[in-house]
Amino acid sequence: MMNQKKYFFFDIDGTLTDLKTHQIVPSAKEAVKLLKQAGHFVCLNTGRAHYKAEKTRKELNFDHMVCNGGNGIVLNSALIENTPLQREKALRILEEARNKDIGYLIALNDSVEVYSENDLFIQQVGFRKEPTTYIFDRSFDFHQVHHFYKLYLALDEDDEEHFQSIDLLGSLRFEKEYLMFQPDNKKAGIIKMMDILQAPLADVVVFGDDYNDLDMFDKDLWTCVAMGNACQALKQQATYIADKNTEDGIYKFCQKMNWFKKIQE
């Protein structure tokens, strides 16, 4: 049987990398190299902002990447698209936050910079646990902002149910004290990339492990591989379940599927 070209999209944390060491699993690195040598298309797919994911992309030797939760497209190492959040929905979230005296921070661009009219966010929950440049300006008016890339609200997880605009945009919580609104369109990012490549969706293969990968796990469209260490919800949506990523899951699964064999165009 002819070995057909596939288009691989890999999550990073817990899939390619070991969550304990934050380093790429050696066998996963070898698998990516062999897939590329065989002639397949290999691509990262991450919720991270472009500026944060770019370093990882280079370290893992990927030429292509879907980032910013599906809103960013990197093709042949060049950022060709980075769509901001829907403006009207972002404004509604910020207006409710201000009316309820909830501190907020806004990422206006693809960088470590965040903006606000005051330091209420820091007063309420402290500094963010990652490199951040805070810019506070009493004259800052978010109604004058045209592009929102991320929003951070000092909204405790216990108070989420009382925040009416919670579901307007995709959100993630890495810390108990605050909530982050960011794009959650990994599936749409894949479709956009495949449209650019003019390649069939049926030839897509996605690898993931956590809840933020649920969006791209659509086994009616393409092949979905959950790592053995994946959350149960993702495993239930998977086409296949591989071994744990730290137990050479990616390498062994690709080998089993004969994807290391050179493709026949």
Side-chain angles (χ1 to χ4, degrees):
M1 184 176 66
M2 184 173 66
N3 194 25
Q4 190 173 357
K5 182 172 183 176
K6 297 293 184 182
Y7 297 79
F8 294 92
F9 292 82
F10 292 96
D11 170 57
I12 299 176
D13 300 314
T15 300
L16 286 171
T17 65
D18 184 338
L19 288 175
K20 292 181 179 179
T21 66
H22 303 293
Q23 301 297 312
I24 187 170
V25 176
S27 63
K29 184 176 183 179
E30 180 67 13
V32 168
K33 183 184 78 171
L34 293 175
L35 290 173
K36 291 168 68 174
Q37 288 178 352
H40 298 292
F41 178 89
V42 296
C43 182
L44 291 177
N45 195 355
T46 177
R48 299 181 193 180
H50 171 255
Y51 80 91
K52 290 176 68 176
E54 187 65 2
K55 180 181 178 182
T56 302
R57 181 188 69 78
K58 293 176 179 177
E59 288 175 347
L60 302 185
N61 197 28
F62 276 75
D63 297 319
H64 319 294
M65 176 171 66
V66 174
C67 57
N68 193 21
N71 282 20
I73 301 292
V74 173
L75 186 62
N76 297 319
S77 301
L79 179 66
I80 62 173
E81 186 173 330
N82 199 15
T83 306
L85 297 168
Q86 294 182 48
R87 183 173 184 273
E88 292 305 315
K89 291 182 178 181
L91 287 174
R92 286 172 60 186
I93 290 169
L94 290 168
E95 285 166 356
E96 182 176 352
R98 176 189 275 176
N99 290 338
K100 293 181 175 178
D101 292 321
I102 297 171
Y104 69 84
L105 301 171
I106 303 172
L108 306 183
N109 49 47
D110 183 43
S111 76
V112 298
E113 296 177 348
V114 292
Y115 292 74
S116 187
E117 60 194 297
N118 54 47
D119 65 350
L120 184 60
F121 180 95
I122 293 175
Q123 291 179 38
Q124 292 176 340
V125 301
F127 293 98
R128 296 179 58 231
K129 296 181 176 69
E130 58 182 280
T132 305
T133 299
Y134 300 91
I135 301 173
F136 301 122
D137 182 351
R138 290 182 180 178
S139 65
F140 178 77
D141 180 3
F142 56 72
H143 294 96
Q144 303 303 314
V145 174
H146 294 291
H147 299 301
F148 299 91
Y149 283 90
K150 289 192 179 183
L151 310 177
Y152 302 90
L153 264 58
L155 184 65
D156 188 281
E157 60 183 351
D158 295 330
D159 297 325
E160 277 190 31
E161 60 180 300
H162 305 298
F163 195 82
Q164 296 178 349
S165 305
I166 191 76
D167 295 323
L168 287 180
L169 295 171
S171 62
L172 291 173
R173 181 180 295 281
F174 294 116
E175 305 295 337
K176 181 181 184 300
E177 296 80 11
Y178 65 87
L179 190 66
M180 175 173 63
F181 290 87
Q182 67 170 41
D184 186 21
N185 305 298
K186 281 188 168 186
K187 176 181 174 180
I190 293 173
I191 293 173
K192 194 179 303 180
M193 179 71 85
M194 295 298 284
D195 185 56
I196 293 169
L197 298 171
Q198 296 186 335
L201 295 180
D203 291 334
V204 167
V205 181
V206 300
F207 283 81
D209 74 298
D210 213 343
Y211 292 99
N212 65 334
D213 297 317
L214 284 168
D215 176 71
M216 70 173 179
F217 263 52
D218 188 339
K219 57 186 177 183
D220 292 330
L221 288 180
W222 48 58
T223 302
C224 305
V225 185
M227 305 311 300
N229 51 286
C231 63
Q232 192 59 36
L234 198 69
K235 289 180 178 179
Q236 291 175 350
Q237 287 191 203
T239 315
Y240 301 102
I241 300 174
D243 289 343
K244 293 180 180 180
N245 70 326
T246 53
E247 296 175 0
D248 306 329
I250 292 175
Y251 185 95
K252 289 191 290 188
F253 188 80
C254 290
Q255 187 177 50
K256 176 183 176 181
M257 299 298 287
N258 204 30
W259 286 330
F260 295 148
K261 183 180 178 181
K262 190 169 182 62
I263 66 169
Q264 296 173 340
E265 301 274 0

